Amino acid sequence: MSTDSVQADEDDAFSLVTSASWQYQDNVLYLPDGQRPPAVFGLNAPRGDQSYVASVGLNFNKRIGRQQLSASASQIMTRYNDLKTLDNDGHNLLASWKWELGNDLSGQLRYSNRRYMQGFNDFRSLTPVKNLVDLENWRFDATYKLDAFWALIGGVSRDSLRNGVPSRLGSDYDIDRYELGARYTTRGGTSFELVGIDTQGDYPNRLPTSNVTNSYSQKNLEARIRWQPVGHSRLSASIGQANRKHDNLPERDYEDVYGRVGWEWTPTGKFGVSFLAERQISALDDIVSSYFRTTTYSIAPMWQATGKLRFDGRVQWVSRDASGDSFFSTLSPAEQAFYRVFFGIDGTARQEDITTYSLGATWAIQRNLTANAELRHDSRDSNVQFYQYRVRSLSMSLQYLF
């Protein structure tokens, strides 16, 4: 939920932010219909529960000449009413330096570090457990202007994730990404980009097996465009091709096309709507398939009812189709029959449809005090019953900026 209306004075380098929120979910563990929480959560533990979140944070924002420095740190405490096993403490750390050297060279150095409880929608296990995740990211971007129209762009980043439960340590990863490309901007402000991306991924706690890889390399070539045909309309689009290789498991290699089209339309100062159509490619740790082909359509309207009250909505449809070869694809018919009889694996690729509806409101009560409320529905239908869920939730929050 948005808290954009909470602003600090422009001359203040430091500000203190406090917030408190409440949420009710009727299916906290994202269980299939009719399934109860396991005994580890207590006898007769409910599917639905209330949670309370309190956070306190410190923000820093300062411009020194052409350099923009910003940082934030917050501590977050989450407590549940009945499912107390899920109680957890987390944090958010962020630091950023937007730099400029002369008139032609600029960029950003950014660092973030988060600790949070992993959600249960995609984190599936026979016995759901609390998994605290530590996610760290470094990123350096640079743009060099060749002339009034052309520029070179590049970036280097590293993402590291560590899981807190032993059963998920094999999913820890370190990902290094290198980007290099060119941008052309017309006099009217339309920009075209062509970018090459090289990614090296490593799973430090995995031992390679017949169906598990501990590293990969991926190369992407991506074209992008940003266009503002009129003042109240903005278009963006991209198309690319991903080619992933696995040294020890070439049968899991894949190559596919992805793309995105977005349109932001604001016909008046009080009303706007965003449209999105997207196709993404993502790796899948599965015995039958090697990657997901995900297609997303979403509509997100916004209405600024008054100077202090804003409503936001979103409708999103996602279709995920598992594809690509895997260890199972290399088995003989007799071996596949063995897996089918003794493990219930029949070679059927996963197919899922995920639907999200949400309606939220933001009320700027005072200059430094903001309230939010959101009503939301999430559901996933899958040809594998284990992955199905339906979740309805209501949340409310208050934020105050000192």
Side-chain angles (χ1 to χ4, degrees), residues 232-296:
H232 58 258
S233 186
R234 289 187 296 177
L235 291 170
S236 62
S238 64
I239 186 169
Q241 180 163 305
N243 188 333
R244 180 174 290 210
K245 302 290 186 182
H246 307 83
D247 289 339
N248 67 301
L249 283 176
E251 61 269 22
R252 294 190 68 86
D253 295 351
Y254 62 82
E255 184 175 358
D256 212 330
V257 175
Y258 60 92
R260 179 185 186 277
V261 177
W263 177 30
E264 297 179 22
W265 182 46
T266 52
T268 70
K270 293 189 174 183
F271 176 77
V273 61
S274 298
F275 302 91
L276 174 67
E278 184 176 41
R279 169 175 157 153
Q280 290 294 322
I281 307 300
S282 58
L284 173 64
D285 288 329
D286 188 86
I287 197 171
V288 175
S289 308
S290 57
Y291 70 96
F292 261 136
R293 184 185 295 119
T294 303
T295 303
T296 301

Side-chain angles (χ1 to χ4, degrees), residues 7-310:
Q7 301 287 338
D9 291 335
E10 293 183 0
D11 295 333
D12 290 345
F14 291 94
S15 58
L16 180 67
V17 183
T18 59
S19 68
S21 64
W22 168 89
Q23 182 183 56
Y24 175 77
Q25 289 180 301
D26 67 351
N27 184 9
V28 175
L29 302 178
Y30 286 70
L31 300 170
D33 290 345
Q35 184 174 325
R36 306 295 302 180
V40 67
F41 291 95
L43 296 177
N44 301 317
R47 284 168 57 95
D49 197 6
Q50 304 175 63
S51 62
Y52 308 88
V53 180
S55 71
V56 59
L58 184 65
N59 294 339
F60 170 80
N61 192 29
K62 187 71 174 178
R63 174 170 286 278
I64 304 175
R66 293 185 172 186
Q67 317 306 311
Q68 180 72 46
L69 302 176
S70 61
S72 63
S74 61
Q75 186 70 23
I76 305 164
M77 181 183 71
T78 304
R79 298 293 182 265
Y80 284 79
N81 192 55
D82 294 310
L83 303 176
K84 297 186 180 300
T85 303
L86 298 180
D87 291 353
N88 67 89
D89 296 321
H91 65 252
N92 281 330
L93 303 174
L94 176 65
S96 172
W97 171 27
K98 293 183 179 179
W99 54 272
E100 293 185 26
L101 293 176
N103 296 323
D104 300 325
L105 187 60
S106 62
Q108 183 177 18
L109 176 63
R110 179 185 173 95
Y111 171 78
S112 64
N113 185 297
R114 293 179 59 205
R115 168 169 285 189
Y116 60 95
M117 184 177 73
Q118 188 175 37
F120 294 96
N121 52 343
D122 276 330
F123 172 34
R124 312 294 280 182
S125 61
L126 294 177
T127 302
V129 294
K130 177 177 69 176
N131 182 31
L132 291 183
V133 172
D134 289 296
L135 179 62
E136 184 179 57
N137 169 263
W138 289 90
R139 183 169 180 84
F140 176 81
D141 293 302
T143 300
Y144 180 70
K145 294 181 180 179
L146 298 175
D147 56 31
F149 306 103
W150 287 95
L152 297 178
I153 56 177
V156 179
S157 66
R158 181 178 179 86
D159 296 302
S160 296
L161 182 141
R162 297 296 183 265
N163 292 276
V165 295
S167 62
R168 295 289 295 175
L169 294 183
S171 296
D172 293 355
Y173 63 71
D174 297 307
I175 299 175
D176 296 313
R177 190 174 289 109
Y178 310 90
E179 303 178 19
L180 183 63
R183 176 191 298 142
Y184 176 76
T185 305
T186 68
R187 285 187 172 86
T190 300
S191 66
F192 302 86
E193 295 180 1
L194 184 63
V195 180
I197 306 170
D198 181 81
T199 305
Q200 303 295 322
D202 178 62
Y203 300 94
N205 296 322
R206 283 188 187 180
L207 293 176
T209 66
S210 59
N211 193 52
V212 176
T213 180
N214 64 349
S215 65
Y216 69 88
S217 62
Q218 180 170 317
K219 297 186 183 302
N220 293 45
L221 183 62
E222 185 172 322
R224 307 165 183 163
I225 181 174
R226 297 179 180 87
W227 178 41
Q228 188 167 351
V230 291
H232 58 258
S233 186
R234 289 187 296 177
L235 291 170
S236 62
S238 64
I239 186 169
Q241 180 163 305
N243 188 333
R244 180 174 290 210
K245 302 290 186 182
H246 307 83
D247 289 339
N248 67 301
L249 283 176
E251 61 269 22
R252 294 190 68 86
D253 295 351
Y254 62 82
E255 184 175 358
D256 212 330
V257 175
Y258 60 92
R260 179 185 186 277
V261 177
W263 177 30
E264 297 179 22
W265 182 46
T266 52
T268 70
K270 293 189 174 183
F271 176 77
V273 61
S274 298
F275 302 91
L276 174 67
E278 184 176 41
R279 169 175 157 153
Q280 290 294 322
I281 307 300
S282 58
L284 173 64
D285 288 329
D286 188 86
I287 197 171
V288 175
S289 308
S290 57
Y291 70 96
F292 261 136
R293 184 185 295 119
T294 303
T295 303
T296 301
Y297 301 99
S298 69
I299 302 174
M302 179 279 296
W303 177 39
Q304 189 76 44
T306 69
K308 293 188 174 184
L309 182 62
R310 191 182 77 186

Side-chain angles (χ1 to χ4, degrees), residues 331-343:
L331 299 178
S332 67
E335 291 170 325
Q336 291 184 4
F338 173 83
Y339 273 85
R340 187 178 301 110
V341 171
F342 291 96
F343 297 99

Side-chain angles (χ1 to χ4, degrees), residues 341-354:
V341 171
F342 291 96
F343 297 99
I345 300 173
D346 62 3
T348 301
R350 282 170 58 184
Q351 197 285 321
E352 302 173 349
D353 294 314
I354 305 169

